[in-house]
Amino acid sequence: MTGLILAAGASSRLGEAKQLLVYQGKSLLERSIRLSFSVCEEVVVCLGAEGEKTVKIIENLQKEFPRLSFVQVEKWEKGMGESLAVGLRAIDQQKAVLVLLCDLPFLTNAHMKNIISLANPDRAIVASFQGVNSPPVLIPKALRPLFSRWSGDQGLGKFWRQNPMLCEIIHFSDKFRDVDVPEDREYWGI
């Protein structure tokens, strides 16, 4: 299984690159990479805005994680769907993919292991935090063709809303709180 971290956006609502923010001594990008490697054998990071700084983080971590790579999303301004499409094209079609965002500080290794424990060859596993569906999302290789024409600002929400029979929801009691606006940064003490 391959981890796919979407970290290409400019974080316009926050006003600064969220992937570079430091939480508990690590950038949100590094934290996401480490979480991905807790359950994945390889990880691909989609980069766009702040490419130079994020590449440095990745290069430093490649010493510890040689199966860490990145792909540049040329049209990252188009949105999360563009990053998802570029990232999925960069990963062998015969592999399941665990999609993760880099702005979810509440995620732990336990969340990742619980998601992976439900792996199903025919259904996506979608995390839900107190009723809010969000990545991490595990996409089995059988469903990868459904994303072949993904683009623009279509996040994964469109997928699970349009294909509920292809998804299994894993419910967590944790409150969903990402880092999207300055108030979120204050909430997390970042």
Side-chain angles (χ1 to χ4, degrees):
M1 173 181 357
T2 301
L4 176 61
I5 300 172
L6 306 181
S11 311
S12 57
R13 288 183 289 171
L14 184 64
E16 59 188 305
K18 62 179 82 173
Q19 54 271 53
L20 302 176
L21 294 176
V22 175
Y23 178 66
Q24 297 181 342
K26 295 179 180 71
S27 71
L28 290 180
L29 177 59
E30 177 181 348
R31 194 170 183 289
S32 297
I33 289 168
R34 291 185 179 282
L35 275 173
S36 294
F37 273 110
S38 72
V39 293
C40 297
E41 52 202 39
E42 64 184 346
V43 174
V44 175
V45 181
C46 289
L47 302 180
E50 300 297 333
E52 192 173 307
K53 293 176 182 175
T54 50
V55 167
K56 286 182 184 178
I57 292 170
I58 291 169
E59 287 174 345
N60 286 336
L61 288 170
Q62 283 175 325
K63 297 167 192 159
E64 185 178 348
F65 303 107
R67 298 197 65 188
L68 171 62
S69 63
F70 66 90
V71 61
Q72 187 69 34
V73 181
E74 298 299 327
K75 297 177 183 175
W76 58 266
E77 319 77 31
K78 285 186 167 186
M80 187 185 301
E82 186 70 16
S83 295
L84 180 63
V86 169
L88 288 173
R89 282 193 298 269
I91 297 169
D92 182 343
Q93 287 293 317
Q94 297 305 306
K95 294 195 174 207
V97 177
L98 180 65
V99 181
L100 182 65
L101 307 177
C102 71
D103 66 344
L104 305 175
F106 61 87
L107 285 181
T108 66
N109 290 346
H111 291 116
M112 306 297 274
K113 289 176 181 171
N114 282 328
I115 291 165
I116 298 309
S117 73
L118 295 176
N120 182 319
D122 301 311
R123 297 179 69 160
I125 307 301
V126 179
S128 183
F129 303 94
Q130 291 187 4
V132 178
N133 293 355
S134 167
V137 174
L138 177 56
I139 303 170
K141 68 180 180 179
L143 298 183
R144 297 272 311 270
L146 297 177
F147 296 91
S148 64
R149 295 175 194 243
W150 218 255
S151 66
D153 201 23
Q154 302 175 73
L156 285 164
K158 179 180 177 182
F159 170 74
W160 62 67
R161 283 189 298 276
Q162 289 182 349
N163 303 284
M165 299 306 291
L166 297 177
C167 298
E168 183 173 337
I169 308 296
I170 179 170
H171 297 276
F172 294 104
S173 61
D174 308 77
K175 179 181 179 183
F176 180 85
R177 184 79 187 240
D178 59 0
V179 182
D180 259 358
V181 294
E183 294 80 22
D184 298 327
R185 186 174 181 199
E186 291 171 26
Y187 176 87
W188 288 107
I190 296 175

